[in-house]
């Protein structure tokens, strides 16, 4: 008798991602030497980012099961955000559970969460910084994240609410980060599948109270917004939003590639953006070229919204002699002599 269907589903998802990691390494053999320790026999290390919740614990269990079959070393990192009393003890419990799964290395990393961008964004920034550092420290070939199809649907709705365009609607990528470091095996699986897999394997999980705290936007969306949408529109909203994410990502990737080519074509000999050539571009491509230029000048991508790019775009399409546009990161955009000058001031 085979494993429970939920367990089989999570293991298959992880197996596919591990095969992808191994294929990528075979096709790009320039992996840093630190990716293999003297005792590892050259086997790549894959880490799982684990909070102790059902999604990441299910992911950790599947990785522990599948990695040895493919000669992959499996480890884990849990990040202690320090936002709740006793968080250090909870992180130690997670480390103990991961160690019991025979994952190695396993470590807990404490971070200090700032305030920039709001509590959710600040916590996310601190978490990814810690995961990046851990991956570098251990020479990991990849870091697995437990985001599910439900998380993807929430991300799409949050992007829709911000009015941030096609890229924001594309949600989370299955592969992201420097050199494809981050992998999300569960984007096609629902949250209930991961929870069921933990239940049938008797894996203890921790439910973060922040996930049900109405003070957080994503929590309100999860417990109020999505249920209301399903009540109004019927079942299948989550699946439809996940499909929207993939379709939007395909469109955004194509437009980004077009914009990269256009960026070179609309510059003069000095490398400045020619306003007349920019005007001739389709709006979706032109705005991407402008966004690239603003980020290249020093504006933080996470602080740059559609309204900022629209203001810069008006220097091209609605020129009335207006002055410089002030942007995040002390960047300014100004039209001078038929050229768009974007620089940090």
């Amino acid at each position: 008798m085979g494993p429970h269907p939920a367990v089989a589903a999570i293991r298959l998802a992880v197996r596919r991602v591990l095969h992808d990691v191994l294929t990528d390494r075979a096709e790009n053999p320039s992996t840093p030497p630190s990716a293999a320790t003297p005792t590892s026999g050259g086997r790549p290390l894959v880490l799982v980012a684990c909070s102790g919740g059902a999604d990441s614990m299910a992911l950790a269990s599947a990785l522990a099961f599948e990695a040895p079959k493919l000669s992959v070393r499996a480890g884990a990192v849990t990040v202690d955000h320090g936002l709740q009393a006793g968080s250090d003890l909870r992180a130690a419990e997670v480390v103990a559970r991961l160690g019991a799964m025979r994952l190695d290395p396993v470590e807990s990393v404490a971070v200090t969460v700032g305030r920039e961008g709001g509590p959710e964004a600040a916590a996310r920034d601190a978490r990814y910084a810690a995961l990046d550092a851990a991956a570098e420290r251990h020479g990991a070939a990849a870091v697995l994240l437990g985001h599910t199809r439900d998380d993807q649907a929430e991300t799409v709705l949050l992007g829709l609410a911000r009015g941030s365009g096609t890229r924001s609607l594309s949600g989370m990528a299955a592969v992201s980060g420097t050199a494809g470091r981050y992998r999300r095996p569960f984007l096609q699986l629902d949250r209930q599948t991961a929870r069921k897999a933990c239940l049938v394997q008797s894996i203890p999980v921790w439910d973060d109270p922040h996930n049900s705290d109405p003070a957080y936007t994503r929590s309100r969306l999860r417990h109020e917004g999505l249920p209301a949408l399903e009540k109004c529109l019927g079942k299948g909203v989550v699946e439809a939003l996940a499909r929207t994410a993939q379709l939007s990502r395909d469109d955004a990737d194509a437009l980004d590639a077009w914009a990269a080519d256009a960026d070179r074509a609309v510059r003069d000999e000095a490398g400045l953006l020619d306003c007349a050539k920019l005007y001739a571009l389709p709006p979706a491509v032109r705005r991407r070229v402008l966004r690239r230029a603003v980020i290249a000048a020093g504006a933080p991508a996470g602080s740059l919204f559609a309204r900022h790019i629209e203001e810069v775009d008006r220097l091209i399409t609605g020129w009335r002699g207006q002055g410089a546009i002030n942007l995040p990161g002390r960047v300014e955009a100004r039209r001078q002599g038929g050229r768009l000058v974007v620089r940090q001031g």
Side-chain angles (χ1 to χ4, degrees):
M1 184 176 178
H4 186 280
V7 176
I10 65 170
R11 288 177 178 176
L12 177 59
V14 168
R15 190 184 317 142
R16 286 171 172 167
V17 166
L18 292 181
H19 276 296
D20 290 343
V21 171
L22 291 172
T23 299
D24 290 347
R25 281 174 58 85
E27 294 176 350
N28 301 282
S30 58
T31 304
S34 59
T37 65
T39 60
S40 70
R43 293 176 297 144
L45 170 66
V46 173
L47 298 173
V48 57
C50 187
S51 66
D55 301 341
S56 59
M57 289 300 289
L59 182 57
S61 71
L63 177 62
F65 183 84
E66 294 293 338
K69 298 179 178 182
L70 298 172
S71 296
V72 172
R73 296 166 57 223
V77 179
T78 186
V79 178
D80 174 13
H81 297 85
L83 298 176
Q84 302 170 32
S87 63
D88 55 338
L89 298 177
R90 195 168 298 110
E93 291 175 2
V94 173
V95 167
R97 291 171 185 168
L98 295 170
M101 293 180 181
R102 299 184 181 276
L103 297 176
D104 181 41
V106 176
E107 68 172 338
S108 171
V109 180
V111 298
T112 300
V113 177
R115 297 182 178 181
E116 186 174 352
E120 292 168 285
R124 182 176 61 250
D125 290 345
R127 180 166 59 254
Y128 277 100
L131 293 174
D132 278 335
E136 293 290 340
R137 188 163 56 251
H138 294 291
V143 178
L144 306 189
L145 305 175
H147 296 121
T148 65
R149 187 170 62 191
D150 301 76
D151 296 308
Q152 184 74 298
E154 293 162 7
T155 301
V156 172
L157 284 176
L158 289 170
L160 182 62
R162 287 193 296 265
S164 302
T166 308
R167 178 57 69 188
S168 186
L169 292 181
S170 66
M172 295 175 286
V175 180
S176 65
T178 303
R181 167 174 291 161
Y182 293 107
R183 311 284 174 130
R184 297 176 174 86
F186 289 175
L187 285 183
Q188 301 302 317
L189 300 178
D190 62 22
R191 190 174 289 140
Q192 193 57 39
T193 297
R195 185 168 289 276
K196 185 67 174 179
C198 289
L199 179 63
V200 299
Q201 295 179 100
S202 300
I203 298 174
V205 300
W206 172 65
D207 290 315
D208 186 346
H210 282 174
N211 289 336
S212 57
D213 186 343
Y216 295 95
T217 304
R218 187 177 285 269
S219 175
R220 294 195 302 273
L221 181 59
R222 179 175 302 176
H223 297 286
E224 300 174 27
L226 271 173
L229 281 175
E230 291 203 330
K231 182 178 180 180
C232 177
L233 302 175
K235 295 293 183 180
V237 169
V238 168
E239 292 87 343
L241 288 168
R243 285 196 301 274
T244 296
Q246 185 56 58
L247 293 171
S248 297
R249 181 166 297 279
D250 292 342
D251 290 349
D253 288 345
L255 287 168
D256 285 348
W258 187 352
D261 290 337
D263 184 89
R264 294 185 288 270
V266 298
R267 293 183 182 272
D268 63 13
E269 297 81 1
L272 296 176
L273 292 166
D274 185 302
C275 293
K277 292 179 179 178
L278 282 168
Y279 186 87
L281 291 174
V285 178
R286 182 176 61 247
R287 288 171 185 152
R288 279 171 166 76
V289 172
L290 296 178
R291 180 179 173 83
R292 286 167 56 94
V294 172
I295 291 174
S303 302
L304 200 59
F305 301 124
R307 58 183 173 82
H308 294 127
I309 303 304
E310 288 168 3
E311 290 179 18
V312 178
D313 195 41
R314 277 194 286 274
L315 294 176
I316 308 301
T317 62
W319 174 240
R320 298 292 185 274
Q322 58 265 45
I325 304 297
N326 294 317
L327 301 161
R330 297 184 297 107
V331 172
E332 69 170 29
R334 179 189 301 273
R335 180 163 174 157
Q336 291 180 339
R339 301 294 185 267
L340 185 70
V341 180
V342 185
R343 63 189 176 195
Q344 214 162 28

